[in-house]
């Protein structure tokens, strides 16, 4: 503030720009020194800051690289016949490819009931639930079960009275989105989960919305713009979870087509 | 749970519904307004029809005005014509308002005019016939081996249609029986454009193999070899309007990716004129009824050429990105020439030309002047409305689409413009001043093409979401949803007599829809 005021009254130092340039040039040295020598909480905060900065930097570099890519042979028309008005356009074919492949596959009725992961390892109740003691004074003996696995909690979920609540689904382990891969095309899209349809371990887990490997979830595909042959818009499709979400920190799924 | 109110009984529900229905109808005209003086003018000539008439405000709705005007003009009972009324203020701003239901709600209630004034109403006759919305798939015909890229009905009747396909053939279909008539083989690559000549005798096809071919529409035989000359593929075809043709020497214009337009003499199969001047691929060509050729190009310009000499008359510049499509207000009459809804075809050739010219002039005359308006759709998400005859500047800029506008058409009566965009919407605009009217929402994929019915009361649109949808122009609502195609629908056309709609797309099947 006072610096700005001073600069407005008297102007900048004559060597101001030079000093700024030098400071910027030495910035890397200062950062390196800090990174090596800071200790304790300051070091932790500093690393966090650097981490965030580096992520931003990588993103920027990547964006720049993508921008610089020359489109390959714009004059080369596609192999599939296209009408005149689509000929000179580069098309976002992801969703479309997905949609037509789904339709092709749907014709094969046999594929309807096959899932990519037919068998999963069982999970014991001990592993799934942790006991939490609750209550105070007269109710010291009451206890609840906390689910130790990632869960999906629907938008319409309202909590009941905490006293009546028997299962705790930790906030930190809740997921709303899944990275859904199309098995043949290898296209991956992040889609919102609508509901958990079937947890192979236990029907109770299905109703609790536990996300473990092999669970069938319904995902929202409305943004792909798929339409059934009868003209209705498709918005929910099933997918099977293909990873261990508790180990990976994300939900990956394979679309059932 | 004694606090819960029980759900309403059926009787209560019907009472509520009845009340709601009655409440909507209350919007009526107050009957204490006396009468208003109305003067009718003919939109085509601009001259007054009959004396100013005093009409009770309470009764001044479109239906009654129609009856009154019919009486004023002395039309017999069996030749009554439906009219559309437009109010035009005499002030400088010269605004025009369509009378939708009655004078009270359109003019008096908004305070544009009072009952003291004489109201001048311009009338235009509407189509005396009515096209029914297509509602079912009459036939799904397999035959093409690849996606269908273009389709066109014969101007003569709705019983024949031609489609161009990715299997490098064009096929002519008998739409009454749903069977193939002819297969037009000859091209060596995709057939991108098809066009019937205005008299319905010749079919022209333009292809990815850089050539144009001509076919006898009746026999399905090739008329000579390919018309070679273009260096890149053909994007669009336009026939010379019937009334402008030299006798026995029709011409055809073809636009190409190689940024030229070539005008071919159809009989001698030679190039008549080459229109070069565009700097990018020419996307669309239109041949106007007054001896002008309009071309749109990727170089952001629209050029107007003299069809006789082949000289450049005008360059219309306003778009900020490639121009995708053009539509003329007279497209429909030029396409159908002397074929009208009565299906009476004159015998002699001279009579045909006269009939075609009369039809064109009748449709295009506004205030004793032949006006040909042009609308252009572009990748810059906008459209421009032009009147190339009077000015190099656009009449209006049509803003509203949120993605590229792919297709644009004028309604046969020139009152409306419909535009189809990649933003899943079809938008309707006023054909006179380019004012926005309504958006047809319903498609969930990019809309590729749209087409008006012959009476301008319905619109059909084809989309990437595999459906066709029929829209009611007046109410702005969905009239009919036509699912059935198994993949994107690339091309759609409504037959000039309004009987059938033909469509084709990526699922290789031609579908014919009827009411």
């Amino acid at each position: 503030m006072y610096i700005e005021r001073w600069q407005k009254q008297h102007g900048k130092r004559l060597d101001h720009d030079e000093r700024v340039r030098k400071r910027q040039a030495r910035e890397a040295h200062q950062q390196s020194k800090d990174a090596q020598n800071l200790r304790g909480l300051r070091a932790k905060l500093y690393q966090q800051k650097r981490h965030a900065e580096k992520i931003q930097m990588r993103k920027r570099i990547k964006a720049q690289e993508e921008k610089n890519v020359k489109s390959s042979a714009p004059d080369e028309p596609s192999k599939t016949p296209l009408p005149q008005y689509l000929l000179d356009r580069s098309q976002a074919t992801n969703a479309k490819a997905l949609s037509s492949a789904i339709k092709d596959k749907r014709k094969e009725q046999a594929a309807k009931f096959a899932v990519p992961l037919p068998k999963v390892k069982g999970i014991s109740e001990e592993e799934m639930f942790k006991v939490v003691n609750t209550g105070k004074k007269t109710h010291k003996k009451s206890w609840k079960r906390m689910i130790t696995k990632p869960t999906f909690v629907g938008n319409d979920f309202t909590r009941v009275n905490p006293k009546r609540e028997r299962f705790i689904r930790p906030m930190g382990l809740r997921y709303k989105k899944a990275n859904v891969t199309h098995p043949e095309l290898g296209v991956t899209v992040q889609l919102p989960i609508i509901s958990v349809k079937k947890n192979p371990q236990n029907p109770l887990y299905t109703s609790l919305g536990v996300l473990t490997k092999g669970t069938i979830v319904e995902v929202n595909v409305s943004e792909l713009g798929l339409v059934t042959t009868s003209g209705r818009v498709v918005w929910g499709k099933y997918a099977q979870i293909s990873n261990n979400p508790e180990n990976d920190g994300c939900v990956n799924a394979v679309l059932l087509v | 749970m004694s606090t819960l109110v029980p759900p309403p009984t059926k009787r209560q529900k019907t009472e509520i519904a009845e009340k709601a229905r009655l409440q909507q109808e209350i919007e009526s005209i107050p009957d204490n307004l006396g009468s208003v003086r109305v003067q009718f003018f003919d939109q085509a000539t601009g001259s007054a029809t009959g004396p100013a008439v005093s009409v009770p405000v309470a009764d001044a709705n479109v239906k009654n005005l129609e009856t009154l005007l019919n009486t004023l003009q002395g039309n017999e009972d069996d030749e009554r014509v439906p009219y559309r009324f437009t109010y035009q203020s005499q002030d400088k701003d010269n605004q025009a308002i369509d009378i939708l239901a009655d004078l009270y709600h359109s003019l008096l209630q908004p305070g544009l005019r009072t009952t003291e004034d004489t109201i001048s109403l311009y009338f235009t006759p509407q189509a005396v016939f009515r096209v029914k919305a297509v509602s079912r798939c009459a036939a799904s015909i397999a035959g093409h081996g690849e996606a269908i890229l273009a389709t066109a009905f014969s101007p003569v009747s709705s019983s024949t249609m031609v489609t161009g396909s990715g299997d490098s053939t064009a096929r002519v279909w008998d739409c009454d029986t749903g069977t193939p008539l002819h297969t037009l083989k000859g091209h060596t690559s995709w057939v991108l454009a098809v066009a019937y000549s205005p008299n319905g005798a010749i079919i022209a096809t333009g292809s990815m193999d850089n050539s144009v071919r001509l076919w006898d529409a009746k026999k399905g035989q090739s008329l000579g070899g390919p018309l070679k000359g273009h260096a890149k593929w053909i994007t669009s075809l336009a026939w010379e309007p019937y009334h402008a043709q030299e006798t026995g020497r029709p011409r055809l214009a073809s636009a190409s990716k190689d940024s030229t337009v070539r005008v071919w003499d159809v009989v001698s199969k030679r190039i008549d004129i080459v229109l070069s001047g565009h700097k990018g691929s020419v996307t669309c060509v239109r041949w106007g009824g007054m001896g002008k050729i309009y071309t749109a190009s990727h170089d952001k310009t629209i050029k107007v050429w003299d069809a006789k000499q082949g000289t450049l008359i005008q360059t219309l510049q306003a778009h900020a990105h490639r121009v995708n499509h053009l539509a003329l207000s007279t497209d429909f009459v030029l396409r159908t020439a002397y074929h009208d809804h009565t299906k009476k075809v004159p015998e002699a050739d001279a009579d045909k030309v006269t009939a075609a010219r009369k039809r064109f002039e009748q449709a295009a005359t506004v205030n004793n002047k032949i006006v040909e308006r042009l609308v252009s759709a572009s990748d810059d998400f906008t459209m421009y409305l032009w009147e190339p005859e009077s000015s190099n500047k656009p009449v209006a800029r049509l803003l509203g689409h949120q993605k590229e506008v792919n297709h644009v058409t004028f309604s046969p009566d020139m009152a409306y413009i419909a535009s189809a965009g990649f933003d899943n919407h079809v938008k309707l605009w006023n054909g006179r001043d380019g004012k926005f009217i309504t958006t047809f929402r319903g498609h969930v994929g990019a809309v590729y093409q749209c087409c008006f019915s012959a009476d301008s009361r319905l619109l059909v649109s084809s989309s990437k979401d595999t459906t066709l949808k029929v829209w009611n122009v007046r109410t702005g609502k969905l009239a009919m949803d036509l699912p059935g195609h198994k993949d994107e629908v690339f091309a759609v056309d409504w037959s000039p007599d309004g009987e059938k709609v033909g469509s084709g797309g990526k699922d290789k099947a031609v579908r014919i829809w009827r009411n």
Side-chain angles (χ1 to χ4, degrees):
Chain A
M1 197 58 203
Y2 59 92
I3 298 175
E4 273 174 25
R5 184 166 165 273
W6 194 90
Q7 281 181 344
K8 271 179 190 156
Q9 283 172 342
H10 308 285
K12 285 172 183 162
R13 283 174 60 140
L14 291 175
D15 59 348
H16 175 262
D17 289 335
E18 184 67 6
R19 278 162 58 91
V20 168
R21 186 190 64 76
K22 280 190 173 170
R23 203 181 306 133
Q24 274 169 355
R26 298 242 5 125
E27 207 168 31
H29 296 262
Q30 184 61 40
Q31 277 171 353
S32 153
K33 201 180 134 206
D34 282 352
Q36 285 174 42
N37 296 328
L38 287 179
R39 291 286 181 273
L41 179 64
R42 268 194 214 143
K44 207 169 163 184
L45 291 174
Y46 182 78
Q47 294 306 343
Q48 270 173 359
K49 193 178 126 230
R50 270 308 276 167
H51 183 63
E53 277 175 3
K54 278 190 173 171
I55 289 174
Q56 287 308 316
M57 197 158 64
R58 290 223 181 89
K59 274 188 184 165
R60 258 208 311 280
I61 291 170
K62 206 171 164 211
Q64 190 66 29
E65 276 171 355
E66 274 169 7
K67 213 160 72 179
N68 287 345
V69 167
K70 294 232 168 57
S71 60
S72 57
D75 280 344
E76 182 67 28
S78 68
K79 287 284 176 292
T80 54
L82 282 177
Q84 174 268 118
Y85 49 83
L86 295 178
L87 273 178
D88 288 329
R89 293 181 187 281
S90 60
Q91 284 196 297
T93 50
N94 268 5
K96 178 56 208 166
L98 204 68
S99 119
S100 47
I102 289 167
K103 279 175 196 155
D104 288 348
K105 190 76 184 188
R106 197 183 289 148
K107 284 174 196 151
E108 298 166 24
Q109 288 292 322
K112 209 172 173 183
F113 300 104
V115 289
L117 293 173
K119 272 186 185 172
V120 285
K121 197 169 74 96
I123 300 174
S124 63
E125 292 229 345
E126 287 80 53
E127 193 189 341
M128 183 67 86
F129 297 121
K130 197 175 116 186
V131 173
V132 182
N133 290 315
T134 58
K136 43 190 169 183
K137 291 177 187 169
T138 56
H139 302 291
K140 280 250 160 131
K141 273 188 278 180
S142 61
W143 54 280
K144 290 182 182 180
R145 280 173 288 179
M146 182 162 79
I147 300 165
T148 59
K149 304 284 176 195
T151 51
F152 168 75
V153 180
N155 270 336
D156 51 347
F157 175 72
T158 42
R159 284 188 67 181
V160 294
N161 179 1
K163 189 179 166 187
R164 307 254 170 258
E165 211 168 41
R166 290 183 302 153
F167 296 100
I168 299 169
R169 294 182 279 189
M171 291 296 289
L173 288 174
R174 293 187 186 179
Y175 288 90
K176 288 217 160 89
K177 295 203 166 173
N179 305 314
V180 182
T181 309
H182 189 280
E184 278 113 57
L185 298 166
V187 183
T188 305
V189 196
Q190 195 174 46
L191 300 171
I193 303 174
I194 298 170
S195 62
V196 173
K197 283 293 155 195
K198 179 91 182 164
N199 189 313
Q201 309 282 352
N202 192 334
L204 173 68
Y205 300 167
T206 308
S207 58
L208 285 170
V210 179
L211 304 174
T212 56
K213 190 169 179 172
T215 307
I216 310 286
V217 292
E218 189 176 21
V219 289
N220 183 351
V221 292
S222 62
E223 62 196 53
L224 302 183
L226 311 184
V227 178
T228 64
T229 39
S230 61
R232 278 199 299 269
V233 181
V234 182
W235 69 290
K237 279 203 78 63
Y238 292 172
Q240 188 176 35
I241 295 177
S242 57
N243 69 335
N244 284 314
E246 76 267 28
N247 295 347
D248 300 350
C250 63
V251 180
N252 298 340
V254 181
L255 207 61
L256 304 182
V257 288
Chain B
M1 299 295 276
S2 58
T3 50
L4 266 186
V5 184
T9 61
K10 191 172 182 188
R11 180 186 291 166
Q12 283 170 324
K13 274 193 263 182
T14 46
E15 269 172 7
I16 292 165
E18 180 76 1
K19 203 175 160 194
R21 200 169 56 78
L22 286 178
Q23 274 171 343
Q24 278 179 343
E25 284 174 6
I26 280 173
E27 198 183 272
S28 64
I29 310 168
D31 50 5
N32 56 359
L33 283 177
S35 58
V36 65
R37 286 166 68 73
V38 173
Q39 173 68 59
F40 292 106
F41 291 93
D42 191 345
Q43 181 86 56
T45 58
S47 61
T49 303
V53 199
S54 174
V55 184
V57 174
D59 296 333
N61 55 18
V62 172
K63 191 126 205 152
N64 289 342
L65 289 175
E66 251 172 31
T67 320
L68 177 62
L69 183 58
N70 271 307
T71 326
L72 278 178
Q73 293 187 317
N75 291 347
E76 295 293 323
D77 265 348
D78 55 340
E79 55 184 25
R80 292 194 172 261
V81 183
Y83 288 102
R84 187 178 34 249
F85 296 100
T86 316
Y87 160 75
Q88 264 171 350
S89 72
Q90 309 295 336
D91 312 335
K92 284 196 292 288
D93 58 343
N94 209 6
Q95 62 170 346
I97 294 163
D98 285 331
I99 310 294
L100 295 175
D102 48 59
L103 286 185
Y104 177 74
H105 285 113
S106 302
L107 296 179
L108 302 177
Q109 200 182 31
L112 293 165
R113 296 261 98 175
T114 64
T115 48
E116 310 272 305
D117 305 316
T118 304
I119 295 177
S120 45
L121 289 183
Y122 285 77
F123 63 87
T124 35
Q126 282 182 296
V128 289
F129 57 98
R130 195 169 272 273
V131 172
K132 283 189 201 153
V134 291
S135 57
R136 63 194 170 85
C137 183
S140 168
I141 326 167
H144 276 303
E146 274 295 347
I148 290 144
L149 309 178
T151 176
F153 267 101
S154 156
V156 181
S157 74
S158 62
S159 53
T160 46
M161 182 176 84
V162 63
T163 55
S165 159
D167 62 0
S168 64
T169 65
R171 278 166 197 259
V172 185
W173 309 93
D174 182 345
C175 300
D176 296 329
T177 58
T179 48
L181 271 182
H182 310 292
T183 306
L184 314 180
K185 277 185 203 154
H187 283 297
T188 54
S189 188
W190 317 341
V191 179
L192 293 171
V194 292
Y196 262 100
S197 68
N199 61 3
I202 307 175
I203 297 170
T205 55
S207 164
M208 197 76 178
D209 64 8
N210 311 344
S211 71
V212 177
R213 275 170 183 269
L214 298 164
W215 314 83
D216 187 319
K218 279 263 156 53
K219 297 182 197 128
Q221 283 161 348
S222 178
L223 295 174
L227 309 183
K228 283 183 192 159
H230 282 296
K232 285 267 178 69
W233 63 80
I234 315 295
T235 55
S236 173
L237 294 169
W239 283 87
E240 185 170 18
Y242 194 75
H243 65 263
Q245 287 172 7
E246 265 178 57
T247 323
R249 189 172 169 272
R251 291 187 293 168
L252 171 76
S254 64
S256 165
K257 162 89 176 154
D258 67 1
S259 68
T260 64
V261 173
R262 278 161 208 266
V263 179
W264 309 86
D265 183 336
V266 166
V267 177
S268 66
K269 312 267 181 315
R270 286 214 199 93
I271 297 172
D272 202 33
I273 311 168
V274 180
L275 309 176
S276 53
H278 276 298
K279 294 190 192 72
S281 164
V282 184
T283 49
C284 191
V285 58
R286 282 281 183 273
W287 201 316
M290 288 141 76
K292 285 179 180 175
I293 297 174
Y294 306 89
T295 57
S297 162
H298 277 184
D299 65 6
K300 307 176 200 172
T301 62
I302 299 155
K303 287 183 194 282
V304 186
W305 313 81
D306 188 314
K308 280 253 150 47
Q309 276 98 39
T311 50
L312 181 67
I313 303 173
Q314 274 172 306
T315 303
L316 309 176
Q317 278 171 320
H319 279 297
H321 209 314
R322 54 164 82 154
V323 188
N324 289 326
H325 199 249
L326 288 180
L328 283 177
S329 58
T330 52
D331 264 347
F332 184 78
V333 269
L334 294 181
R335 176 183 162 193
T336 51
Y338 53 84
H339 305 279
D340 60 2
H341 66 279
T342 58
K343 300 196 178 164
K344 278 181 207 142
V345 175
E347 291 289 322
D349 281 352
D351 292 345
K352 286 181 181 172
V353 175
T354 339
R357 172 166 295 119
K358 193 168 151 236
R359 236 182 127 226
F360 166 70
E361 282 168 0
Q362 204 171 16
T365 309
V366 175
N367 286 342
N368 276 333
K369 228 170 64 186
I370 295 183
V371 176
E372 202 162 53
R373 279 190 298 269
L374 181 74
V375 64
S376 58
S378 163
D379 258 15
D380 63 3
F381 309 172
T382 67
M383 284 157 290
Y384 279 99
L385 182 65
W386 310 85
E387 242 180 65
E389 199 74 359
S390 58
S391 161
N392 262 350
K393 296 270 178 296
V395 177
R397 187 175 192 203
L398 283 58
L399 292 162
H401 275 290
Q402 283 157 5
K403 277 194 182 167
E404 292 88 340
V405 191
N406 184 50
H407 192 92
V408 67
T409 69
F410 256 98
S411 67
D413 66 357
M414 306 177 189
Y416 302 107
I417 297 167
S419 61
F422 286 165
D423 58 355
N424 309 355
H425 295 330
V426 181
K427 283 180 191 283
L428 189 71
W429 315 80
N430 192 324
R432 191 173 46 232
D433 50 15
K435 291 235 175 67
F436 172 72
I437 296 174
T438 187
T439 305
F440 300 122
R441 291 172 211 277
H443 281 297
V444 292
V447 189
Y448 286 143
Q449 289 198 326
C450 57
C451 188
F452 274 100
S453 69
D455 64 352
S456 311
R457 291 179 182 115
L458 295 165
L459 177 77
V460 64
S461 58
S462 75
S463 161
K464 188 176 175 174
D465 69 6
T466 75
T467 62
L468 296 174
K469 288 187 199 292
V470 182
W471 309 92
N472 189 326
V473 168
R474 205 176 60 77
T475 58
K477 298 240 171 67
L478 182 68
M480 203 59 75
D481 192 1
L482 306 172
H485 276 288
K486 294 197 181 66
D487 214 328
E488 307 182 4
V489 191
F490 286 144
V492 68
D493 194 19
W494 203 316
S495 69
D497 62 0
E499 293 280 307
K500 297 186 187 80
V501 166
S503 63
K506 215 171 176 182
D507 63 352
K508 304 168 194 173
V510 174
R511 275 172 191 265
I512 294 156
W513 311 82
R514 53 177 306 150
N515 58 2

